[in-house]
Amino acid sequence: MKAFTAFCERMVQRFLPDAFLFAILLTFTVFLLGIIFTNSSPMQMIDYWGTGFWDLLVFAMQMSLIVVTGYILANTPLVKVVLKKISNLANTPSQAILLVTFIASLACLINYGFGLVVGALFAIHVAKRVPTVDYRVLMASAYSGFLLWHGGLSASIPLLIATPGHFLEDTIGIVPVSETLFSGFNLFIAGFLLFTLPFVNRFLMQARHPLIHSDATEWQTNNIDENSEKDSVADKSPADRLENSKTIAFLIGIMGLAYVIYFFINNGFDLNINIVNFIMLFLGVILHRTPRRFLNSATHAVKNVGGIVVQFPFYAGIMGMMVASGLSQQMSLWFVEMSNAFTFPLFTFLSAGIINFFVPSGGGQWAVQGPIMIPAALDLGVDTAKTAMAVAWGDAWTNMIQPFWALPLLAIAGLKVKDIMGFCVILLLYSFIPISIGLLFF
């Protein structure tokens, strides 16, 4: 097993291109597959690509703000103290890996965007505490928590089908989360991964290839700027006094938090990506204490979002080709045709994992696969709630080797995708076991 882990790491380091080139190669792949397996002409595929290219602009902005607001909040004195105290629980590289994995997994169960940022920022603090830990494995451990997101409280598919008015309501009705998120099979999968992933990641640290081992001190573990809290040099001008006014920061911060309270009173504990960004933004304003300190931190933060801004439109173009050409529907139907009542949840999971490479969005993937998988499940007599969760876990599963969701974490960490992907291949293979058991036997 150690030899296989080292082999995966070497292959990824040697052959996996930068995340941007990976997106371009996926674009070419889907373009050719659409021509070969659908009735689409080359010009039609280009049209689908160009038409869909800007469909993720809102989402790209949301994920950019996740990185920026997370960085801003983590750069406040209070949050630094809290993260530092928690990181003090780790004194050895093994303890660092165990702690980061567990914290990141818990955070992703609460909310996927929150978990991505917290995992990366906490890992940086732990790396400063234990500089001899392998920084690449530490960040892979932080990212491994993302395996659990679609079985947690922000899971888009189970939350969607539990909401009145969803597009499959006439077929399956309203499916309560007691049948999806809090079902026996989902609790088994999420619980098993939560308590075993830390030890798998510790094994990865021990099995890493010795020639490409790197301590945290070799990497940019000072992403959280230590000096941004210092006051700017002030003159006596009214403008300068406004920029350094604690009153202004406090009032706008309180206004923002008042809306957060109002939101939760009216919507319940709905931690969607927008409210997470909103909370982190206005907590950052309050905890930085002045607009100038807040803006100084924001200036450093925006340097980390270049990959997201450039690459997300390419993935939107890929999704456009997959959906408009009918290629994603054909892939789903291939797996339906080879299934029976027992194997259907497993093949649904596998099909979702493959489609996730090209449609890396839980809600978007359900829009593609739901209308195909749900009627097939009803025909075979398979539980529709389990079918929906099979799609959800397939979506989460191949995120381990799909750079799309790793971009925010990599931006914060100062790493490239190939620095963690060799370890993520092993996590993908390992997680297949409990997910398959949960879907087939519970």
Side-chain angles (χ1 to χ4, degrees):
M1 189 62 187
K2 286 186 177 181
F4 180 68
T5 302
F7 170 78
C8 290
E9 189 182 0
R10 288 196 305 271
M11 292 299 100
V12 166
Q13 286 284 334
R14 185 171 182 181
F15 295 108
L16 184 67
D18 180 81
F20 177 64
L21 291 176
F22 185 86
I24 292 177
L25 292 176
L26 276 182
T27 300
F28 293 151
T29 300
V30 174
F31 175 78
L32 293 175
L33 289 176
I35 294 172
I36 296 171
F37 292 106
T38 73
N39 295 323
S40 303
S41 67
M43 200 61 234
Q44 284 177 315
M45 291 300 293
I46 290 176
D47 178 50
Y48 301 150
W49 176 66
T51 301
F53 201 78
W54 303 115
D55 286 349
L56 288 180
L57 282 181
V58 172
F59 187 60
M61 185 63 177
Q62 289 173 325
M63 294 311 296
S64 296
L65 282 173
I66 273 286
V67 175
V68 171
T69 58
Y71 180 104
I72 290 170
L73 185 59
N75 200 29
T76 62
L78 177 61
V79 173
K80 284 181 182 178
V81 170
V82 172
L83 291 177
K84 185 176 181 180
K85 285 187 175 181
I86 300 176
S87 68
N88 287 340
L89 295 173
N91 296 303
T92 67
S94 290
Q95 292 174 354
I97 296 295
L98 294 172
L99 184 62
V100 165
T101 306
F102 189 73
I103 294 296
S105 298
L106 277 179
C108 285
L109 281 173
I110 295 171
N111 180 270
Y112 71 90
F114 176 73
L116 276 176
V117 173
V118 166
L121 297 175
F122 181 62
I124 289 174
H125 282 269
V126 171
K128 294 177 181 178
R129 167 73 178 174
V130 188
T132 55
V133 69
D134 190 302
Y135 189 55
R136 298 169 305 115
V137 182
L138 190 69
M139 284 300 169
S141 300
Y143 186 57
S144 68
F146 199 59
L147 262 170
L148 285 79
W149 88 270
H150 225 147
L153 299 179
S154 65
S156 57
I157 293 175
L159 292 181
L160 176 65
I161 61 177
T163 303
H166 70 87
F167 67 88
L168 288 175
E169 183 176 358
D170 292 341
T171 305
I172 60 176
I174 305 300
V175 183
V177 293
S178 59
E179 297 180 15
T180 53
L181 295 180
F182 297 103
S183 63
F185 68 86
N186 191 66
L187 292 175
F188 165 78
I189 296 170
F192 193 94
L193 290 174
L194 176 65
F195 291 107
T196 61
L197 277 178
F199 298 98
V200 175
N201 287 328
R202 186 177 68 172
F203 167 80
L204 292 178
M205 181 191 69
Q206 297 167 343
R208 67 191 182 278
H209 192 270
L211 295 181
I212 48 180
H213 163 68
S214 57
D215 291 342
T217 50
E218 298 177 34
W219 296 90
Q220 298 176 2
T221 58
N222 291 315
N223 294 60
I224 306 305
D225 180 40
E226 300 291 347
N227 300 313
S228 67
E229 285 297 316
K230 292 181 179 180
D231 289 323
S232 59
V233 177
D235 59 31
K236 304 279 185 165
S237 69
D240 188 78
R241 286 196 295 270
L242 286 174
E243 289 176 359
N244 291 282
S245 170
K246 294 181 181 180
T247 301
I248 289 178
F250 178 77
L251 289 176
I252 192 64
I254 291 300
M255 185 175 175
L257 295 184
Y259 171 75
V260 171
I261 295 171
Y262 175 81
F263 175 87
F264 286 135
I265 289 174
N266 287 277
N267 298 280
F269 193 64
D270 178 18
L271 271 180
N272 61 64
I273 195 70
N274 287 331
I275 199 64
V276 168
N277 273 328
F278 198 90
I279 292 170
M280 290 196 294
L281 178 66
F282 284 96
L283 280 178
V285 171
I286 291 175
L287 295 177
H288 274 290
R289 298 194 295 273
T290 71
R292 173 48 53 199
R293 294 175 187 171
F294 174 84
L295 289 173
N296 286 342
S297 184
T299 300
H300 290 283
V302 296
K303 298 175 183 177
N304 296 320
V305 301
I308 296 173
V309 172
V310 172
Q311 293 177 49
F312 274 38
F314 280 87
Y315 281 106
I318 292 169
M319 291 169 60
M321 288 191 289
M322 286 288 295
V323 175
S325 68
L327 187 59
S328 56
Q329 290 90 337
Q330 284 197 21
M331 286 184 176
S332 297
L333 288 170
W334 293 339
F335 283 91
V336 169
E337 291 171 358
M338 65 178 72
S339 303
N340 56 40
F342 176 72
T343 61
F344 183 74
L346 179 62
F347 282 121
T348 299
F349 160 69
L350 291 172
S351 69
I354 293 173
I355 292 175
N356 181 56
F357 271 103
F358 312 102
V359 187
S361 164
Q365 190 164 340
W366 180 243
V368 170
Q369 287 195 277
I372 297 171
M373 293 306 182
I374 290 300
L378 292 172
D379 288 342
L380 292 171
V382 178
D383 181 27
T384 54
K386 179 176 282 190
T387 300
M389 289 307 297
V391 176
W393 278 107
D395 169 75
W397 181 51
T398 48
N399 283 332
M400 289 298 97
I401 52 174
Q402 159 58 275
F404 181 87
W405 286 104
L407 290 175
L409 177 138
L410 294 170
I412 295 170
L415 293 175
K416 294 183 178 180
V417 63
K418 67 180 180 181
D419 293 321
I420 68 169
M421 204 55 66
F423 307 111
C424 291
V425 170
I426 305 301
L427 294 168
L428 176 91
L429 298 175
Y430 169 76
S431 59
F432 175 80
I433 299 171
I435 297 174
S436 300
I437 292 173
L439 293 175
L440 290 175
F441 299 107
F442 278 77

